[in-house]
Amino acid sequence: MVRREKPTKRSNELAWLITGPLSLLTVLCSILVGLAGDSWFGGWFGAGLLLVFMVAAGLPILTFVTRGQALSVSLTEIPLVLAFFFLPPLTVVLVYTLAALIIQLRRKLGPAKFWFNVARAAAAASLGSLLLLALPPIKGTGPGTWGVLFAAVTLVTLVTLASVIGVITLVQGWQAGWDALRRAASTALATAVINVAIGLIILITLVATWWSVIPLGALTAALIFVYASYARFFRQHRTLTDMYDLTRAMSESRQDGTLADSLLGRVRALMQAEYATLWVPAQGRHPEILLTARVHDPGLLDFAKAPSVVRERATEQGRTIALGERVRGDEQLREQLRGSGVKDVIVVPLRSGQAVIGTLEVVNRLGDLGHFATADVPVFETVAAHVAVALENSRLVDRLRYDAYHDGLTKLPNRRRVTEALDEAVRVRAPGEMVAVLLFDVDALRRVNESLGYAAGDKVLVEVANRLRSSAPPGALVGRLSGDEFVVTLRVESADSALALATELRAQIRDQMVFDALTLDVDTAVGVAVHPDHGSDPALLLQRVDLAASAAKTTPGGIQLFSTGLESRSMRRLGLAADLRQALDNGDLQVYFQPKVTLGDRSLVGVECLARWEHPAHGAVAPEDFVAVAEHTGQLSRLTEVVLREGLRRSRDWSAVDRPLAVAVNLSARTLSDVDFPGLVQDLLAEYAVPPDRLTFEIKEVGVLDGTDRPMPTLRRLREIGVRLSVDDFGTGSSPLAHLRRLPVHEVKVDRSFVQGMATDPGDLAIVNAVVTLAQQFGLTVVAEGVESELTLELLQDIGCEIGQGFLFSRPLPYERLEAWFGAQPEADGAVPADVRRLRVVP
């Protein structure tokens, strides 16, 4: 939502409605204090010392910004304890009010806030003094005195806090007041209690001997240092959290078109700025973009608060421009800034390669005491780098979305789009209505490719797509799921209607196809599944219609309606249990190896060990099938040991021929609960004489970040042994990136689904970039899985990923073919330039 309006300055004049009553309350309480006290004023030397102490302690240590208002936590309670003990009550009111006056003069606030702060200090001190007189007289420094002083100082703190929250509520509304109370009240009260305790300790020490001033001075310095350190930690923690939230918001908003809204709003909140502006000049068919998020405004505004000359200077020079009270810059720009009413500004150019494509700017740090500092510049530049990536990709968002949801050859919706459409159709199905899924498997396409070339095969696919598109009923969705599979989804009255339509469409496809002088007869096998009879989940329906299409290849007529008898995979898993045990006993499982290489020079750094099983009756059994069988039949530990032994044996053999390679073995989450497993690993390392750091265990994200600490003892024990630990398929779970910090791991493997989508999906690119950046900050190695194209390789290199594996380099290979792959690689000879050496792919 973009609204056209000029910025209106929020008025703080309503603060006078609270300043006036506070002033009257001060006068009234001071009169009562004067009438009740034995002496009005006195102790001027001590009053002067305490005045200096109060001014120094009044400098804010922690600042909480709530909707443009600042709540500051300081050390004023410490000198106030001493003042209530040593000075007459009216003198305390005078000193406390004068200290507030000096502090506000130094802050150079506007009249409304200036007098409000002075009035609340005076009112709080007078009320505290009045309470002090109402309580039993102070005698000595015993517990009774502690209670009296604690009550008086606490009242001062409560009055101060209530006044600030009251004026925020009056100016900004009740929600802002509640936010201020929720965010700052507990911290302010806790700090006040600590300060009172410190003040009492100082009081007792001073009463005992005035020489205690010397160690108290050292204690004060240490206390200030601790407070400042906590403030820095607090800011750093908040910045890290906001950075993660920003990255996540960019990923979540890429599909619904709210990227700019969530982006600018979070940038403004992260930098605690009043305004955050994105500017992109017009380019080609893209118009100029000028959008601003302002505090309190839910939508985006189409103006920029900062003078345009600052933005132009940042664009021309290609560097960050920061101006303000705490960041020095060009004096001419500073003059123009003061003339525009802007307090401070940071403008960062957004880059695409070496070109500047726009700017991101923040204006006016929230709170009268807040100013952008030099330390804020690198934080904002990091934010701008993420924004530049998202922005550059969002300029192509229409094309990217089209490519992400459509097949490049036939222009039909792809599997992702079909799945989404099927999910929607299932959810809004009318009573008595069915949703049919028809899967067309083009027969003999491989023979066409082998005989006539892939160009002819592509023509066949395009023609099939055109015939399905023209013959399908209105309202039907025609898509392409894979190389030779097309799907049609639509609403039907019954399964018989779906079968009739499948027959009609199949007949249309079977008509002869003429390409120049070539005439082809193309047939298809058609599978049919319907909702709700065959499932409600889109993925399940597509799985079952695929089973039906496979069965249709051997069915007369070439059309098969799904039935439960076709779903034999789970039943076959049950039958594999005994065969797996026998295969483990006979050594029938093979271990394949997939190379892991550095992305910069494509040098080999290790291999991943993968179990493979060729069943004598069923053929190749999918790893997920026999691993699931092993887990449910108690054979997982044997399977893991087989793979581990083979990997260590090969690592030992490679070291013997001067080819030391690290090996990686996948671990199931269930293995992490085996307390004996680390001991087995240690014994096998000793048996095969392999250094521990050449062995890496890869555990899926859901195995190490399962919400409990159950895997931690085994992980720590493995790390103590010296083996490397890797989080596999990272990003597929729901774990925040920051959870990596608590894991005793060395490596993160980015899931292939994100890596393969980097070139077309800006969200996937942002996710991979965030994982790589944060993992490197934690000192972790990052491995990208599923590297299958040079474009993906280049993108990974650009964001700093160092290691990858995928079909671009090699598929998983048995040992003999891996040795052949080793021999096929060029030698690292000095005469061959590094930029032309390439690993040769073995399919």
Side-chain angles (χ1 to χ4, degrees):
M1 178 178 66
V2 178
R3 298 190 291 111
R4 293 181 174 272
E5 69 173 58
K6 292 297 181 181
T8 56
K9 184 174 179 61
R10 296 191 310 276
S11 174
N12 292 313
E13 299 302 317
L14 291 176
W16 291 107
L17 297 178
I18 293 183
T19 302
L22 288 176
S23 301
L24 293 176
L25 181 63
T26 301
V27 174
L28 177 61
C29 291
S30 298
I31 293 174
L32 294 176
V33 169
L35 294 175
D38 296 334
S39 60
W40 286 10
F41 300 101
W44 296 113
F45 177 75
L49 292 178
L50 287 172
L51 175 62
V52 175
F53 193 2
M54 285 185 181
V55 172
L59 300 177
I61 301 299
L62 294 177
T63 301
F64 301 87
V65 177
T66 302
R67 299 197 175 196
Q69 302 296 332
L71 296 177
S72 298
V73 177
S74 59
L75 308 177
T76 51
E77 292 86 359
I78 297 176
L80 190 58
V81 170
L82 303 178
F84 276 138
F85 184 85
F86 289 110
L87 301 179
L90 278 182
T91 306
V92 173
V93 176
L94 179 62
V95 170
Y96 196 73
T97 304
L98 186 58
L101 184 65
I102 296 172
I103 292 172
Q104 304 312 315
L105 286 172
R106 180 181 179 277
R107 293 174 178 174
K108 301 177 182 179
L109 301 178
K113 290 189 175 182
F114 176 89
W115 290 112
F116 165 75
N117 288 334
V118 173
R120 70 175 172 80
S126 60
L127 278 172
S129 299
L130 190 62
L131 177 62
L132 189 71
L133 292 175
L135 294 174
I138 295 176
K139 295 180 180 179
T141 57
T145 299
W146 302 350
V148 172
L149 294 177
F150 179 82
V153 176
T154 301
L155 180 60
V156 172
T157 302
L158 290 174
V159 172
T160 301
L161 183 62
S163 301
V164 173
I165 293 176
V167 78
I168 290 176
T169 303
L170 188 63
V171 174
Q172 303 292 346
W174 70 269
Q175 185 62 49
W178 170 252
D179 290 344
L181 179 64
R182 178 174 52 84
R183 295 183 59 184
S186 60
T187 302
L189 292 175
T191 305
V193 171
I194 295 173
N195 290 342
V196 170
I198 295 172
L200 290 174
I201 294 173
I202 295 174
L203 172 63
I204 295 171
T205 308
L206 289 175
V207 171
T209 172
W210 285 99
W211 287 105
S212 61
V213 172
I214 298 175
L216 286 176
L219 177 62
T220 301
L223 180 64
I224 293 174
F225 174 78
V226 170
Y227 268 76
S229 299
Y230 175 74
R232 285 193 298 271
F233 171 78
F234 182 83
R235 287 192 296 269
Q236 292 170 356
H237 174 74
R238 183 186 60 203
T239 300
L240 179 62
T241 302
D242 290 346
M243 285 287 287
Y244 170 71
D245 290 341
L246 173 64
T247 304
R248 185 176 62 180
M250 290 168 55
S251 173
E252 292 175 349
S253 60
R254 70 184 188 274
Q255 299 293 339
D256 55 14
T258 62
L259 179 62
D261 299 77
S262 61
L263 183 69
L264 287 175
R266 290 180 179 274
V267 168
R268 187 204 60 73
L270 187 149
M271 298 301 297
Q272 293 187 10
E274 185 177 1
Y275 299 91
T277 299
L278 173 67
W279 173 75
V280 181
Q283 181 180 3
R285 64 182 181 88
H286 300 287
E288 180 186 32
I289 297 175
L290 182 63
L291 297 173
T292 296
R294 184 176 64 183
V295 66
H296 308 311
D297 279 313
L300 296 181
L301 312 175
D302 59 353
F303 71 87
K305 179 67 175 177
S308 60
V309 64
V310 183
R311 189 180 314 112
E312 294 169 358
R313 183 73 59 86
T315 305
E316 292 171 0
Q317 298 181 356
R319 64 180 181 87
T320 301
I321 301 294
L323 301 169
E325 182 174 322
R326 298 176 61 185
V327 282
R328 310 302 297 178
D330 184 274
E331 191 59 35
Q332 182 180 2
L333 290 179
R334 290 172 59 85
E335 288 296 331
Q336 297 193 30
L337 198 68
R338 283 192 285 266
S340 66
V342 173
K343 181 172 62 173
D344 43 16
V345 61
I346 304 177
V347 180
V348 179
L350 302 176
R351 295 183 177 276
S352 176
Q354 297 299 319
V356 175
I357 61 173
T359 61
L360 185 67
E361 57 195 67
V362 286
V363 176
N364 291 349
R365 194 67 173 266
L366 289 176
D368 297 303
L369 308 181
H371 296 278
F372 293 125
T374 304
D376 294 316
V377 175
V379 174
F380 192 45
E381 289 176 336
T382 302
V383 172
H386 289 280
V387 172
V389 173
L391 176 63
E392 179 66 7
N393 287 292
S394 67
R395 282 202 142 192
L396 305 174
V397 65
D398 294 335
R399 183 64 187 174
L400 289 173
R401 285 182 176 175
Y402 183 88
D403 291 342
Y405 287 96
H406 290 79
D407 172 56
L409 176 64
T410 63
K411 310 305 179 185
L412 292 177
N414 59 13
R415 179 181 292 272
R416 180 184 296 179
R417 179 69 187 97
V418 169
T419 302
E420 290 187 358
L422 190 55
D423 179 63
E424 182 179 359
V426 167
R427 283 189 288 106
V428 300
R429 179 182 64 89
E433 190 177 52
M434 288 185 169
V435 177
V437 184
L438 283 58
L439 181 65
F440 295 81
D441 192 326
V442 180
D443 188 29
L445 180 65
R446 180 176 179 180
R447 290 197 297 271
V448 173
N449 290 333
E450 292 174 349
S451 304
L452 305 175
Y454 286 96
D458 289 345
K459 289 181 179 180
V460 171
L461 293 174
V462 171
E463 180 63 20
V464 171
N466 291 337
R467 292 187 180 186
L468 283 175
R469 187 188 292 114
S470 61
S471 303
L477 175 68
V478 181
R480 183 187 179 196
L481 296 184
S482 63
D484 57 358
E485 291 183 342
F486 294 84
V487 67
V488 176
T489 66
L490 75 164
R491 303 175 188 279
V492 294
E493 297 178 354
S494 64
D496 291 337
S497 301
L499 289 171
L501 178 61
T503 302
E504 179 183 344
L505 294 177
R506 181 171 180 265
Q508 294 292 332
I509 296 174
R510 294 184 69 187
D511 284 348
Q512 290 184 339
M513 297 183 182
V514 179
F515 304 103
D516 299 328
L518 183 65
T519 301
L520 297 177
D521 290 322
V522 177
D523 200 358
T524 57
V526 188
V528 180
V530 294
H531 164 76
D533 293 355
H534 303 144
S536 300
D537 181 68
L540 181 61
L541 284 171
L542 291 176
Q543 175 187 338
R544 289 179 169 176
V545 78
D546 186 62
L547 289 173
S550 298
K553 295 178 181 180
T554 58
T555 300
I559 299 176
Q560 176 66 54
L561 180 67
F562 172 80
S563 65
T564 55
L566 300 175
E567 196 169 28
S568 60
R569 184 176 183 181
S570 59
M571 297 299 294
R572 191 181 70 154
R573 278 188 178 182
L574 295 176
L576 289 176
D579 296 337
L580 177 60
R581 187 182 305 276
Q582 184 177 0
L584 290 171
D585 292 337
N586 298 337
D588 292 337
L589 264 70
Q590 282 188 290
V591 175
Y592 278 43
F593 305 89
Q594 185 171 27
K596 299 166 68 174
V597 303
T598 57
L599 300 181
D601 56 7
R602 303 195 185 187
S603 60
L604 183 64
V605 294
V607 295
E608 180 179 359
C609 305
L610 302 166
R612 295 292 185 265
W613 183 19
E614 189 74 20
H615 193 278
H618 302 296
V621 182
E624 57 268 22
D625 284 347
F626 65 78
V627 169
V629 170
E631 285 186 338
H632 288 90
T633 58
Q635 302 179 72
L636 181 62
S637 58
R638 291 190 62 196
L639 176 61
T640 303
E641 184 177 349
V642 167
V643 178
L644 181 56
R645 282 184 176 276
E646 180 66 8
L648 293 177
R649 183 168 72 90
R650 296 304 182 185
S651 180
R652 179 193 60 189
D653 295 344
W654 290 325
S655 297
V657 294
D658 198 22
R659 190 190 290 142
L661 285 179
V663 294
V665 176
N666 291 285
L667 285 189
S668 169
R670 184 167 299 185
T671 304
L672 296 179
S673 61
D674 184 358
V675 295
D676 297 327
F677 181 71
L680 173 64
V681 173
Q682 198 165 16
D683 293 341
L684 292 178
L685 287 170
E687 178 181 343
Y688 290 97
V690 174
D693 59 356
R694 287 194 194 155
L695 173 62
T696 300
F697 285 120
E698 298 182 2
I699 309 102
K700 292 185 181 296
E701 177 188 355
V702 293
V704 292
L705 292 172
D706 61 352
T708 70
D709 291 332
R710 287 176 297 186
M712 290 303 175
T714 302
L715 292 175
R716 294 193 183 99
R717 181 71 183 96
L718 291 172
R719 185 179 177 110
E720 290 171 1
I721 293 173
V723 301
R724 292 175 56 81
L725 300 174
S726 174
V727 181
D728 196 12
D729 296 341
F730 189 79
T732 56
S734 57
S735 310
L737 297 179
H739 282 190
L740 287 174
R741 296 189 63 181
R742 70 182 187 90
L743 295 177
V745 298
H746 306 80
E747 179 182 282
V748 175
K749 297 189 73 174
V750 186
D751 184 64
R752 68 179 67 250
S753 62
F754 299 112
V755 175
Q756 292 173 347
M758 289 176 61
T760 57
D761 193 325
D764 289 344
L765 179 59
I767 290 173
V768 176
N769 192 9
V771 173
V772 172
T773 301
L774 193 61
Q776 289 176 343
Q777 290 178 356
F778 293 159
L780 303 178
T781 304
V782 182
V783 179
E785 296 183 290
V787 182
E788 297 183 1
S789 68
E790 292 288 347
L791 178 56
T792 301
L793 176 64
E794 293 175 2
L795 291 173
L796 289 169
Q797 288 177 312
D798 290 342
I799 64 178
C801 185
E802 298 178 353
I803 301 175
Q805 65 182 105
F807 291 174
L808 179 63
F809 310 116
S810 175
R811 297 174 181 271
L813 303 171
Y815 176 74
E816 294 75 12
R817 294 186 63 190
L818 181 68
E819 287 294 318
W821 186 85
F822 286 154
Q825 307 312 313
E827 295 293 334
D829 185 69
V832 181
D835 59 348
V836 301
R837 291 200 300 270
R838 292 291 185 269
L839 291 171
R840 296 175 181 167
V841 175
V842 177

